[in-house]
Amino acid sequence: MRPSLLSPIAQRKTANATPLRQHVIDALEELKAKDIREIDVRGKTSIADLLVIASGTSARHVKSIADEVVKFAKKAGVMPLGVEGEREAEWVLVDLGDIIVHVMLPRIREFYGLERLWTVGDRDADNEALSAV
């Protein structure tokens, strides 16, 4: 067995993110979020380990999805650090510490292009973009 290169704190942080990640995905699927995408941002930023981006079909749907993410996170014992954008509900961000969830209307998601922003230089993302052409 290969020793871990992560510090004990980082090991606990990574171990805790996996169950939370599943709760987030379950919440998104529960309310039928569209186009769910996960982006591993470890090594790119210190703000989080994982970004989860999903779309809703209307402002009401976006808000409901974000509310469900908060509810599932609380059931998992994680209190959100913050929730932004609920009033307009075109783009709602739920900060769960290691995981940041973005729920957006499709036109907002396309305009800001978070997937492109956070995957620039990633080999898999570059190959995916080339195959789409």
Side-chain angles (χ1 to χ4, degrees):
M1 187 169 162
R2 204 168 82 180
S4 175
L5 300 176
L6 298 174
S7 70
I9 292 171
Q11 288 174 6
R12 282 194 306 273
K13 195 173 171 185
T14 302
N16 291 338
T18 303
L20 178 58
R21 178 196 154 278
Q22 191 56 53
H23 284 287
V24 167
I25 298 303
D26 290 346
L28 294 170
E29 289 175 348
E30 179 83 18
L31 284 187
K32 309 229 183 304
K34 307 287 183 199
D35 212 11
I36 301 168
R37 176 95 190 266
E38 299 176 54
I39 303 171
D40 185 340
V41 292
R42 289 175 293 189
K44 294 180 181 179
T45 182
S46 60
I47 61 167
D49 293 338
L50 183 69
L51 298 181
V52 179
I53 304 169
S55 295
T57 57
S58 66
R60 180 175 284 179
H61 189 214
V62 167
K63 183 170 179 355
S64 295
I65 293 168
D67 289 345
E68 194 76 357
V69 168
V70 169
K71 187 171 90 177
F72 272 59
K74 286 180 179 178
K75 279 185 192 175
V78 177
M79 288 300 293
L81 300 175
V83 179
E84 299 292 331
E86 285 183 298
R87 198 160 93 193
E88 297 82 15
E90 292 183 341
W91 177 357
V92 180
L93 180 146
V94 181
D95 186 348
L96 300 171
D98 294 339
I99 300 174
I100 297 177
V101 182
H102 299 269
V103 186
M104 312 164 94
L105 290 174
R107 65 180 169 78
I108 300 297
R109 184 172 177 174
E110 186 178 334
F111 181 79
Y112 286 100
L114 294 182
E115 289 97 335
R116 288 186 309 276
L117 176 70
W118 285 103
T119 59
V120 168
D122 287 356
R123 205 167 211 161
D124 293 338
D126 290 344
N127 290 339
E128 200 175 284
L130 286 175
S131 66
V133 174

